[in-house]
Amino acid sequence: MDWIFGVAGALVLAVMLGSVLRTLVVPRGLYSVLVFRLWWVLRRLLQLAAFRGGYTTVDRAQTWLAPLMLIGMLVTWLAGALLGYGLLLYAFSPLSWSAAFREAGSSLFTLGFASGDRLKLSVLDFAAAATGPVLIALQIAYLPTLYAAYNRRELEVTMLQSRAGEPAWGPEILARQWLVDTETALPELYRSWERLAADMGESHSTYPVLLTFRSPRPHLSWLVGLVAVMDAAAMQLSLAPHSAPPEARLVLRAGFTAMRDISRGLRIQFDEDPAPDATIQLTFVEFDAAAKMLEAAGFHAERSIKEAWPQFQGWRVNYEAVAYDLCRRSDAVPALWTGPRDFPSTPIPPRRPVDRRPGEGRTKLPPAQG
């Protein structure tokens, strides 16, 4: 029966090695069952820790998901290597279970206090001794890549806060630009988020663990920010197609392409080519209220709200379902127009600064509504 343990050990090592290569080495978003099962378990445990709490409690608990994932991946891989080499040593030697795993651990962590004097055991010892440092080195080299992508992402998210509110909301972006006469800055905003969307589509699909990294402030989120910028572009194209900058179309394309790339890495099912008139969850009532808010802010529409609605629907159908699923899975802040969450929540409208200019000031916006 020893060969059964040998085969089992080889399979365990193969699964562990495959997970490491898929997660740390191959420059493509490949699915690793071990990593995603670990993600699911840790996320559920943290949700239980925030049981019956509001979003603030959930955010505080989920902040620990990223560091726990990084530590958990290394521990899981090392434990898999220990199990695999322990089974092989037991299969190819007269060692007892305890002695086999003791020798495997000694070699894996390069402690060297236990070793066999037979050639086939020495080969396994040397292989285990190489595996431990390589795993740790790969994990260490993995961290700078993650934090570089994280810093690029959060810089744009933080800069968006003054334009979109906190949490971000698409109509709020347009309203604020017209209120303070900075609408000419919108093309540059769309260009910045087009580049960021392309960056996130590559980095977050290659390294899905980045989805667990939350923003430093609880009401900021890269996903919510991306949805807000795309909604702003879609509304501008729908209501004022002639004056809308061409960058609006480009950021929409880059945005839903990035979301779909990330979703493929997570094995989320979605419609690759939805019909322009397909039903979306956002209602006409919500769109109508947002369009009227823009009108109060000084936005000049070229179409009526009823005429613009099918155009907006045709844009949003490309990304709404994917965006809602990603926001739910990442426990993003429940902002307006970002769908439901797995925890009890109500949509949070963006916070608006108080107009402290002397005199009467500008028109006051109506309250944001989901």
Side-chain angles (χ1 to χ4, degrees), residues 6 75 121 129 140-141 174 199 201 214 240 245 248 319:
V75 170
L121 292 189
I140 293 174
L174 297 179
D199 187 344
R214 303 182 73 83
Y319 61 89

Side-chain angles (χ1 to χ4, degrees), residues 21-336:
L21 293 177
R22 286 169 173 267
T23 305
L24 303 181
V25 180
V26 180
R28 178 176 292 185
L30 299 180
Y31 189 87
S32 170
V33 176
L34 284 179
V35 171
F36 281 93
R37 287 291 178 267
L38 176 65
W39 183 356
W40 185 88
V41 169
L42 292 176
R43 179 170 171 252
R44 293 300 180 188
L45 290 175
L46 291 173
Q47 285 178 340
L48 290 175
F51 181 65
R52 292 184 179 179
Y55 170 70
T56 302
T57 305
V58 171
D59 176 75
R60 190 181 301 115
Q62 293 296 330
T63 301
W64 292 98
L65 182 57
L68 289 176
M69 276 292 298
L70 294 175
I71 296 172
M73 287 190 300
L74 181 59
V75 170
T76 300
W77 291 329
L78 289 174
L82 176 63
L83 176 60
Y85 284 116
L87 289 172
L88 288 174
L89 287 169
Y90 179 79
F92 289 102
S93 75
L95 297 175
S96 64
W97 281 105
S98 59
F101 280 94
R102 180 171 176 268
E103 183 163 332
S106 170
S107 300
L108 184 65
F109 298 104
T110 64
L111 300 176
F113 63 80
S115 63
D117 57 359
R118 290 162 295 280
L119 177 61
K120 56 187 178 183
L121 292 189
S122 296
V123 171
L124 291 175
D125 287 336
F126 290 150
T131 301
V134 167
L135 284 177
I136 296 173
L138 286 174
Q139 182 80 336
I140 293 174
Y142 182 56
L143 294 179
T145 302
L146 293 181
Y147 281 100
Y150 174 77
N151 288 335
R152 292 194 303 270
R153 186 188 82 185
E154 294 305 316
L155 174 63
E156 294 293 339
V157 172
T158 303
M159 291 176 63
L160 182 67
Q161 185 269 338
S162 62
R163 303 186 186 212
E166 186 180 340
W169 184 42
E172 189 79 7
I173 295 177
L174 297 179
R176 291 195 183 195
Q177 307 318 302
W178 263 264
L179 275 174
V180 296
D181 298 325
T182 56
E183 63 271 15
T184 55
L186 280 172
E188 180 58 34
L189 174 69
Y190 294 150
R191 281 194 293 269
S192 297
W193 277 82
E194 179 193 0
R195 289 191 295 269
L196 181 63
D199 187 344
M200 292 190 299
E202 184 276 328
S203 60
H204 289 54
S205 60
T206 302
Y207 307 111
V209 71
L210 280 167
L211 295 169
T212 67
F213 282 69
R214 303 182 73 83
S215 295
R217 295 168 64 171
H219 288 88
L220 296 181
S221 166
W222 67 272
L223 258 174
V224 170
L226 181 57
V227 173
V229 172
M230 295 173 70
D231 282 340
M235 287 200 74
Q236 192 172 8
L237 286 168
S238 303
L239 291 166
H242 300 297
S243 59
E247 289 84 356
R249 293 178 179 270
L250 298 177
V251 74
L252 279 165
R253 180 70 185 183
F256 70 71
T257 299
M259 289 185 184
R260 291 179 179 184
D261 288 341
I262 296 171
S263 297
R264 290 188 189 98
L266 300 178
R267 294 188 177 179
I268 298 175
Q269 300 296 322
F270 60 89
D271 189 350
E272 294 275 0
D273 187 21
D277 58 350
T279 303
I280 60 175
Q281 294 186 42
L282 190 74
T283 64
F284 173 75
V285 173
E286 293 172 302
F287 178 78
D288 179 70
K292 290 178 179 177
M293 183 193 72
L294 294 183
E295 183 180 355
F299 181 89
H300 300 293
E302 299 166 6
R303 288 183 176 136
S304 68
I305 297 176
K306 287 186 178 180
E307 291 173 335
W309 168 248
Q311 304 296 323
F312 178 78
Q313 182 181 4
W315 282 112
R316 204 171 204 263
V317 74
N318 291 291
Y319 61 89
E320 185 189 73
V322 175
Y324 281 13
D325 206 342
L326 289 175
C327 286
R328 180 185 62 80
R329 290 171 183 251
S330 61
D331 297 307
V333 54
L336 298 175

Side-chain angles (χ1 to χ4, degrees), residues 342-353:
D342 286 340
F343 52 88
S345 64
T346 54
I348 302 174
R351 299 175 182 173
R352 291 171 177 166

